[in-house]
Amino acid sequence: MRVIYLRQCSSLKYLFTVFMWILIMTSAQAQEKNIQGKILDVTGKPIAGVSISVSGKPKATKTDAEGRFSLSAVNVGDKLQISFLGYKKLEKNIDNSTVYNLTLETNEERLADVVVVGYGTLDKKEVTSAITHLSGKDLNVFGGNGVLNSLAGKVAGLSVVNTGQSDPNSSPSLQLRGVSSRNAGLGPLYVVNGVPGGNVDNLNQNDIESIDILKGGAASAIYGTRGSNGVIIITTKKGTSDPYAFYDGYASFDVPNNRIQVLSAEDFLKHNRGTDFGGNTDWFKEVSRKFAFNQKNTLQLAGGNRQTNYIVSFDLRNAHGLDLRSDKKEYGARLNLSHTSANNLYTATVTIAPRSLKANNASYNAFNQSLTLNPTLPLMDAKNPNAFNYINTGFSGAYNPVEELRTVLDGTEGKYLDWNAAFKLNILENLSTQVTLAQQSSDFFDFNFTPSYNTGAINGNSGRNSAGRNYKKSDQYVFEWTGNYKQSFGRHHINVLGGYAYNYFLYSGMNAGNQNFPSDVLTYNNLGSGQYDVPIPTNPQPGDYTFRSVGSYKNDAKLIAFFGRVNYDLANKYYASASLRYEGSSKFGRLNKWGYFPALSLGWRIMEEDFFPKASWINDLKLRADYGETGNQDFGSYLSLDTYQGYGYFAFNGASYQVWGPSQNTNYDLRWEKAQNLNFGVDFDLFNRKISGSINYYVRTNKDLLGSYNVPVPPFVLTTTFANVGTMKNSGLEVQLNAKILSQKDFSYSVSFAGASNSNKFASFSNDIYQGQNFQFMSYMPSPGSPGPAQRLEEGRRIGSFYMYESAGIDATGRLMVYDKENNIIPGNTAKEEDKRFVGNGLPLFTASLGQNFTYKNFDLSVFLRGSFKYDLFNTTAFYLGTPVTQSGANVLKSAYGKGKYAALTNAETYSTLSDYFLEKGDFVKIDNITIGYNIKPPVKQISSIRVYAVARNLYTFTKFTTGDPEAISVNGLTPGINTSLSYYPSTAQFLAGLQVKF
């Protein structure tokens, strides 16, 4: 009985257990339910497109245009994960409620993590190539021409050079990771709002949302034959559902600093430099304004809702240069309009940006004249005080620069019109396609006029006035069709891009010139009234303006590409990206029209690994490696074809007929330059993101460099052929750091640093077909004397290598002594070509910048320093004007007399001997930009913020260079570290004051 009883109890226990499991399962099923809700921003407005998923389950959805969402079959206890670009992530536990109305807060740091890559965006953690991201707030404020100047020092490895900062019409040259070509373009490709080849001169700095610099070859390979020198992607601001108006206005003053000092009239006569003409003229002051004034005003209006929004911007700028003539007046506008359908099926965007300008050009040679002219020459004619003094004494080419600036017209009238339109169709939640149309047009109508009362025209042109016009038109037409597909499979995430691109480039223009007009009144506006039969002199003299011309041109080019890219992410730990572009260009020879441009990059967030030591101070650590092949097709349109030109005249039956002949040798093998880019990097966030940055090491090999090479005649028709020959290598280390040192309620302090090194070598001048010498002379110096070339481009050596005599000091007679090839010391004027040697280099080995930002309550202060190190500059000014034996009649530097280095060279026998005696260290550290601002409490509720600010730029330069600002000498291109003429534009310090108001 006991056994039976125990068995019955056991059976009852089993039944009870089963019953309880059924109750639990039934309860769980009962708690599975459908939920719905709405996602709002902090102002209470709905947010469309918010991603909502259930943690650990494949359930996911997105909000519609009204911010609504719904999910079915979820359980109590599940966790909702809500995320959207630009907002903080939100998690919400599911309870017994069925309706969830949630609010997302904006996240400025999250916005900074969005990186724009070619044809799309990535989160910073997904980036596997070398890309530097800057927001519009990171750019330096300045009063100058073009937004690119504000990038100086901000990006490791990017060299921004502008030798005429205070010239209102000057534009900087940009060079990324060293010089990369001989005769093709050296600058990066600009992409504005997704349109390759965008016009950066038609941008207002206040309109910029972000700038992304694609430095790694894997990132820029998606742009194929135009990505060899890197890619700079500029994104302008978009509309918002929060309506606002924003005004920014400033005025700036540029005053000369680092002025090159020459002898006064008194000292000029004291040292018997030339004839006393009775005047006392400071030519620098005469050709300069006391200060250059610049004023700019910007007004932005934005508004709309989540479906339709806009931003429109207007700007007006009036700028003057330091010289008497230069100025620029421009006004522009930009409209960005976006509309999304109520069901999020499609999005249409339109951008239109017109701009108009009129500019008068600076005269860099006028400042050359201010250095060389005899200071006793009077400005005005002694016999006629109302007329300018005619000058033709001193250095060859001397003239009255003030008269040029006051009487000669030289400038341009220009217009830009850029527009693009895109239509994106969301076929599925994870599948979309987009069509983009764009056009970028520019029209420039240059003008020049020299009046009949100009003394150069009177004395060199028989009193004839002269004028000319030069019209230049450029158009780029773009059509692109892309498709995107995203999918997640558990821990696997993929993003697939495919596309087609068509670009058509059209360039055309004409010019006309004439002389001897019946009146000066119409200047350049009536060329037909001039005289057509004035003979053009065989040997025109300096100042002879005789000319008569007419011409026109038109050329075009096409670029077609098919491209694709796959981004893969495994568990937010392992990342890979592979792309391929197949591209053809009409510029290439018929045997090489098309080419492949592959790329592969890998990323590993090693801190996510179980074996990686867990440390609270390491927030993120990612290792990267990438390889990509890019091209360069920035050369003339028809260099691979049979082209013809005028080939002289043939007399027949008493008339002359122009004969046509070949203008170049045909090269059907002409192709793009190829760059093979290898990059290794690490990205990190430390100490709760207080310290972040990246380190990159790159190696870039540029092959098939384009250039003209000597060939035999016959079999070739002409002596040179444009061909792909030569190899160049660049390598370097780049460091980019940002640190939030202190962050308290009323005070914060942050630091940014960018540093880079560059090792360059020209590897080869020849290939199997074109064999030539292993060097090329560069940087030919002008007369007086016969100095010859100052640099040599040679296989196995760094770009910018100075090749000249090595100085052995000055002897007792004031002669320059040099070493011959046997290291014997000989006078410089007796040295031979074989005695020259490599003595220095003009390409900086290191560049660095340091930015510091402070805030205290309503005050903000930023101090930005930058510098270049380990390179040489050839002091052209000292070579021509720095010694006592400078050509008689010309002025010289103050340092030419006294105890200075150049004052010791007193023997005219060695006056024009090129040697490293004139090489100086170019190293400098510059106080580049100081900005201070104050936020004023708005007096009325209709104004949301008021900020006043002041900026000081180029305040002081720490350098041992003795003549002016070292940055007046370019370090970009094939001849860094030397000016081959005395023409220059003075360095200035700029002081700016501005006001910003947001309504």
Side-chain angles (χ1 to χ4, degrees):
M1 293 291 294
R2 182 177 178 84
V3 172
I4 295 172
Y5 176 79
L6 290 173
R7 286 178 178 174
Q8 288 177 338
C9 288
S10 178
S11 298
L12 289 172
K13 184 177 181 180
Y14 174 77
L15 291 173
F16 179 79
T17 303
V18 172
F19 179 74
M20 291 303 297
W21 273 109
I22 292 173
L23 286 177
I24 292 171
M25 294 299 294
T26 304
S27 175
Q29 290 294 325
Q31 293 185 49
E32 190 175 80
K33 59 180 181 177
N34 299 334
I35 64 171
Q36 61 180 336
K38 200 171 187 179
I39 307 298
L40 310 171
D41 63 16
V42 292
T43 66
K45 295 182 179 179
I47 308 175
V50 177
S51 297
I52 303 168
S53 61
V54 179
S55 179
K57 295 183 179 181
K59 295 182 181 295
T61 188
K62 286 188 176 182
T63 58
D64 62 17
E66 299 299 325
R68 299 189 183 93
F69 73 94
S70 63
L71 282 169
S72 60
V74 298
N75 299 308
V76 173
D78 284 347
K79 183 179 292 185
L80 293 180
Q81 294 183 332
I82 302 104
S83 63
F84 188 63
L85 184 66
Y87 292 83
K88 294 180 180 180
K89 290 183 177 180
L90 179 65
E91 292 186 348
K92 177 67 175 177
N93 290 323
I94 297 178
D95 51 25
N96 293 322
S97 302
T98 58
V99 178
Y100 294 85
N101 293 327
L102 306 173
T103 300
L104 292 184
E105 297 179 1
T106 56
N107 187 348
E108 295 295 331
E109 290 186 354
R110 182 71 185 89
L111 283 172
D113 286 343
V114 180
V115 177
V116 181
V117 296
Y119 303 101
T121 61
L122 291 174
D123 192 286
K124 187 175 72 171
K125 69 180 181 181
E126 300 175 304
V127 174
T128 53
S129 186
I131 300 176
T132 298
H133 174 83
L134 298 174
S135 71
K137 297 178 181 179
D138 294 326
L139 305 179
N140 284 334
V141 177
F142 72 100
N145 188 49
V147 301
L148 298 179
N149 289 292
S150 61
L151 290 175
K154 294 292 184 178
V155 181
L158 179 65
S159 175
V160 181
V161 172
N162 190 346
T163 57
Q165 278 274 18
S166 57
D167 175 4
N169 301 300
S170 69
S171 295
S173 71
L174 271 65
Q175 186 172 282
L176 189 60
R177 291 185 165 182
V179 63
S180 58
S181 180
R182 281 189 61 207
N183 292 87
L186 298 174
L189 170 69
Y190 300 105
V191 179
V192 179
N193 288 330
V195 180
N199 180 15
V200 294
D201 290 325
N202 190 15
L203 283 170
N204 177 5
Q205 183 169 328
N206 286 306
D207 291 339
I208 293 178
E209 179 67 34
S210 66
I211 298 179
D212 293 271
I213 297 89
L214 312 188
K215 299 189 289 186
S220 53
I222 197 69
Y223 291 104
T225 58
R226 293 191 286 175
S228 185
N229 302 321
V231 180
I232 295 180
I233 300 178
I234 301 173
T235 304
T236 61
K237 295 176 180 178
K238 301 299 188 294
T240 173
S241 60
D242 298 324
Y244 72 86
F246 172 77
Y247 168 78
D248 179 32
Y250 66 72
S252 68
F253 302 85
D254 283 75
V255 295
N257 64 354
N258 289 316
R259 178 180 168 181
I260 300 175
Q261 300 292 335
V262 294
L263 296 180
S264 64
E266 181 182 358
D267 290 334
F268 184 87
L269 297 175
K270 174 183 175 182
H271 295 293
N272 299 314
R273 292 296 314 159
T275 304
D276 183 359
F277 291 96
N280 184 2
T281 307
D282 185 334
W283 285 106
F284 182 88
K285 287 186 177 180
E286 294 296 340
V287 300
S288 307
R289 296 184 173 105
K290 290 183 179 180
F291 55 83
F293 178 72
N294 183 9
Q295 185 180 24
K296 186 175 181 180
N297 296 277
T298 299
L299 177 64
Q300 291 178 345
L301 304 171
N305 53 47
R306 289 292 174 184
Q307 289 178 246
T308 304
N309 54 67
Y310 67 90
I311 181 171
V312 60
S313 173
F314 305 93
D315 65 270
L316 174 65
R317 176 172 173 245
N318 186 7
H320 298 82
L322 194 64
D323 65 288
L324 297 176
R325 183 174 63 194
S326 65
D327 61 34
K328 185 176 185 179
K329 296 179 177 66
E330 64 175 324
Y331 54 91
R334 179 174 295 271
L335 168 66
N336 286 347
L337 177 64
S338 176
H339 172 71
T340 301
S341 65
N343 58 1
N344 203 35
L345 177 64
Y346 66 85
T347 299
T349 59
V350 176
T351 298
I352 302 174
R355 184 167 299 274
S356 180
L357 63 91
K358 183 173 182 179
N360 289 295
N361 295 328
S363 174
Y364 286 47
N365 197 47
F367 289 105
N368 173 3
Q369 296 291 319
S370 76
L371 298 178
T372 61
L373 285 179
N374 182 335
T376 69
L377 285 165
L379 174 62
M380 308 303 291
D381 190 338
K383 297 180 180 179
N384 183 4
N386 295 319
F388 286 101
N389 183 27
Y390 175 63
I391 296 175
N392 65 346
T393 182
F395 257 40
S396 176
Y399 65 91
N400 192 325
V402 180
E403 181 180 30
E404 176 201 22
L405 296 173
R406 292 294 191 190
T407 66
V408 176
L409 304 181
D410 182 13
T412 190
E413 299 164 345
K415 293 182 180 179
Y416 297 105
L417 179 59
D418 300 338
W419 66 266
N420 65 78
F423 182 84
K424 181 180 179 181
L425 180 65
N426 298 310
I427 302 172
L428 298 173
E429 186 175 314
N430 58 348
L431 176 64
S432 65
T433 184
Q434 178 171 302
V435 173
T436 301
L437 293 173
Q439 179 181 352
Q440 296 171 336
S441 299
S442 65
D443 292 80
F444 284 90
F445 206 2
D446 301 342
F447 58 83
N448 63 78
F449 174 72
T450 301
S452 59
Y453 54 83
N454 180 279
T455 60
I458 294 171
N459 292 277
N461 200 29
S462 303
R464 296 190 293 269
N465 49 20
S466 57
R469 301 295 315 252
N470 183 13
Y471 177 70
K472 298 170 289 186
K473 180 175 175 60
S474 172
D475 293 287
Q476 179 188 192
Y477 303 91
V478 178
F479 170 79
E480 290 185 339
W481 187 6
T482 60
N484 275 278
Y485 174 75
K486 297 180 181 181
Q487 188 57 275
S488 297
F489 307 94
R491 300 190 304 165
H492 305 273
H493 311 280
I494 63 169
N495 188 342
V496 181
L497 164 75
Y500 166 82
Y502 174 87
N503 291 259
Y504 180 64
F505 309 90
L506 183 62
Y507 310 97
S508 60
M510 64 157 298
N511 65 83
N514 210 349
Q515 60 186 333
N516 207 25
F517 306 103
S519 171
D520 290 326
V521 173
L522 296 178
T523 63
Y524 48 80
N525 293 311
N526 193 0
L527 299 182
S529 65
Q531 188 173 351
Y532 293 91
D533 58 353
V534 177
I536 297 177
T538 305
N539 297 307
Q541 300 300 310
D544 192 336
Y545 293 91
T546 303
F547 72 97
R548 184 173 63 252
S549 64
V550 63
S552 63
Y553 68 89
K554 186 175 184 179
N555 61 76
D556 66 352
K558 294 179 182 178
L559 196 67
I560 297 175
F562 303 87
F563 54 90
R565 182 177 60 212
V566 177
N567 290 86
Y568 171 72
D569 161 23
L570 174 59
N572 291 323
K573 185 189 303 183
Y574 308 106
Y575 299 89
S577 177
S579 68
L580 179 65
R581 187 177 179 104
Y582 179 59
E583 188 168 66
S585 171
S586 63
K587 292 183 178 182
F588 304 145
R590 67 186 186 192
L591 303 179
N592 292 288
K593 290 291 187 186
W594 293 84
Y596 292 94
F597 300 90
L600 175 66
S601 59
L602 302 172
W604 180 21
R605 294 180 68 203
I606 190 172
M607 52 85 64
E608 294 288 342
E609 296 289 356
D610 294 335
F611 62 78
F612 191 82
K614 301 304 178 185
S616 60
W617 57 274
I618 300 178
N619 303 109
D620 203 356
L621 183 63
K622 179 175 62 180
L623 307 180
R624 293 181 282 101
D626 67 85
Y627 173 82
E629 294 186 1
T630 53
N632 188 350
Q633 56 107 52
D634 192 4
F635 56 90
S637 294
Y638 307 129
L639 292 176
S640 68
L641 304 178
D642 300 300
T643 57
Y644 293 83
Q645 65 180 4
Y647 226 67
Y649 291 86
F650 173 72
F652 182 73
N653 288 338
S656 293
Y657 298 90
Q658 189 172 45
V659 178
W660 284 79
S663 61
Q664 64 186 20
N665 290 326
T666 302
N667 182 2
Y668 297 136
D669 290 320
L670 194 68
R671 58 191 178 277
W672 57 92
E673 295 182 346
K674 180 188 289 185
Q676 298 172 329
N677 305 269
L678 183 63
N679 191 97
F680 299 96
V682 57
D683 299 327
F684 51 87
D685 282 316
L686 310 175
F687 302 105
N688 197 26
R689 300 191 68 171
K690 287 186 176 181
I691 298 178
S692 62
S694 63
I695 301 173
N696 287 284
Y697 174 76
Y698 67 90
V699 178
R700 183 180 66 198
T701 302
N702 295 83
K703 297 182 176 180
D704 298 330
L705 300 183
L706 290 159
S708 296
Y709 292 85
N710 295 328
V711 292
V713 178
F716 292 93
V717 177
L718 300 176
T719 58
T720 61
T721 293
F722 194 73
N724 298 90
V725 185
T727 301
M728 189 184 303
K729 293 184 178 181
N730 284 276
S731 62
L733 184 69
E734 299 170 345
V735 179
Q736 199 98 25
L737 296 174
N738 293 282
K740 300 175 182 177
I741 306 298
L742 190 62
S743 181
Q744 297 181 348
K745 180 181 178 181
D746 291 332
F747 180 77
S748 68
Y749 171 46
S750 61
V751 174
S752 62
F753 173 82
S757 68
N758 176 257
S759 177
N760 171 277
K761 182 173 70 173
F762 196 91
S764 173
F765 260 109
S766 304
N767 63 14
D768 295 337
I769 300 175
Y770 298 93
Q771 298 291 329
Q773 61 187 29
N774 64 351
F775 66 87
Q776 177 182 345
F777 286 116
M778 311 289 288
S779 305
Y780 282 82
M781 306 302 288
S783 60
S786 302
Q791 292 180 325
R792 195 157 95 168
L793 186 63
E794 184 170 305
E795 291 181 355
R797 291 202 173 265
R798 187 172 171 85
I799 297 291
S801 293
F802 290 103
Y803 186 78
M804 52 185 65
Y805 300 118
E806 184 178 356
S807 168
I810 307 294
D811 71 0
T813 68
R815 290 185 303 181
L816 175 67
M817 307 300 288
V818 301
Y819 292 100
D820 67 9
K821 63 180 180 179
E822 303 296 337
N823 282 330
N824 298 313
I825 297 177
I826 60 174
N829 61 314
T830 65
K832 297 180 173 56
E833 183 67 26
E834 57 266 27
D835 296 323
K836 291 183 178 180
R837 57 185 68 178
F838 290 99
V839 292
N841 190 272
L843 185 64
L845 188 60
F846 304 106
T847 57
S849 68
L850 179 67
Q852 300 183 80
N853 296 280
F854 307 83
T855 64
Y856 175 69
K857 292 186 177 180
N858 292 328
F859 287 95
D860 59 86
L861 171 68
S862 67
V863 180
F864 191 72
L865 312 175
R866 60 182 177 85
S868 298
F869 310 94
K870 292 291 183 181
Y871 73 111
D872 303 298
L873 295 177
F874 186 82
N875 196 328
T876 302
T877 308
F879 180 72
Y880 286 102
L881 304 177
T883 69
V885 290
T886 295
Q887 178 180 329
S888 178
N891 205 354
V892 295
L893 303 179
K894 283 187 175 182
S895 58
Y897 295 94
K899 297 181 179 180
K901 172 183 176 181
Y902 302 117
L905 190 60
T906 59
N907 194 316
E909 291 181 4
T910 52
Y911 164 60
S912 61
T913 302
L914 276 175
S915 79
D916 64 348
Y917 192 77
F918 294 93
L919 285 184
E920 300 182 12
K921 293 298 179 184
D923 302 39
F924 72 88
V925 173
K926 186 183 292 284
I927 304 177
D928 188 63
N929 192 288
I930 297 178
T931 302
I932 185 169
Y934 180 71
N935 295 303
I936 301 173
K937 183 178 180 180
V940 293
K941 64 180 182 179
Q942 288 80 7
I943 299 176
S944 58
S945 66
I946 302 175
R947 180 174 182 263
V948 292
Y949 61 96
V951 180
R953 182 185 60 80
N954 197 24
L955 274 183
Y956 189 79
T957 303
F958 302 90
T959 182
K960 292 183 178 180
F961 186 67
T962 61
T963 311
D965 191 334
E967 281 204 299
I969 302 174
S970 176
V971 293
N972 284 357
L974 290 172
T975 58
I978 186 170
N979 283 341
T980 55
S981 78
L982 287 169
S983 296
Y984 81 107
Y985 209 80
S987 172
T988 60
Q990 184 179 86
F991 301 95
L992 179 150
L995 170 68
Q996 294 176 337
V997 182
K998 189 172 183 179
F999 302 89

